[in-house]
Amino acid sequence: MYYKRKESFRFTFESPISGKITNQEKLENYPIKIMGISATGLKIQLEKSTFPLPKKNQLIWIEFQLMNHPFRSTGTVVWTKDFVSHIICGIKVTTDKEWEESIITDLKLYAKIKN
């Protein structure tokens, strides 16, 4: 499958980082593992036992920390892949220029420390 990606920076974590999402319809929090990140999107993993299958275009609230810097934003589910025990989702994050610059700076520092 071919995806046109306009992002100039994409990072995949060797060990996923923890975070949480909030279902904006029910205001319930769920733990997530962030597998990959870019300036405007996330690839996350959810356990099926804790979160029902997200719907495309579903709005969610995302929170995580990277390099002791908290990141919070709303997002929209763009795609999902359903597996036996978990769900992988692509999330388009609602950002501004400051958020994008902060995430790129922190990811570069994270990569430098991990290597």
Side-chain angles (χ1 to χ4, degrees):
M1 191 177 291
Y2 176 73
Y3 294 99
K4 290 185 181 179
R5 296 212 167 118
K6 297 178 184 175
E7 294 147 342
S8 59
F9 191 85
R10 179 171 295 278
F11 188 86
T12 302
F13 296 102
E14 280 185 36
S15 298
I17 63 172
S18 297
K20 70 177 181 176
I21 62 171
T22 303
N23 179 336
Q24 290 189 340
E25 295 170 0
K26 297 181 181 178
L27 298 177
E28 296 173 331
N29 294 323
Y30 302 95
I32 60 171
K33 294 179 184 172
I34 300 173
M35 303 170 67
I37 196 165
S38 69
T40 60
L42 301 168
K43 181 178 180 182
I44 65 169
Q45 177 178 324
L46 301 154
E47 297 304 316
K48 273 190 176 178
S49 61
T50 61
F51 193 84
L53 184 64
K55 301 175 191 105
K56 190 172 181 180
N57 297 321
Q58 180 177 352
L59 293 174
I60 55 174
W61 180 257
I62 302 160
E63 295 181 52
F64 63 96
Q65 274 197 348
L66 184 62
M67 303 304 300
N68 294 322
H69 182 236
F71 288 91
R72 295 177 185 91
S73 182
T74 56
T76 306
V77 177
V78 179
W79 57 265
T80 60
K81 288 187 181 178
D82 191 7
F83 293 92
V84 174
S85 63
H86 63 277
I87 304 161
I88 305 288
C89 300
I91 308 294
K92 172 128 178 69
V93 182
T94 306
T95 63
D96 58 17
K97 192 72 172 166
E98 182 181 333
W99 199 92
E100 292 176 20
E101 289 172 0
S102 293
I103 199 76
I104 290 171
T105 300
D106 284 0
L107 283 170
K108 287 179 180 178
L109 183 58
Y110 180 89
K112 187 183 283 188
I113 289 171
K114 291 297 178 180
N115 288 332

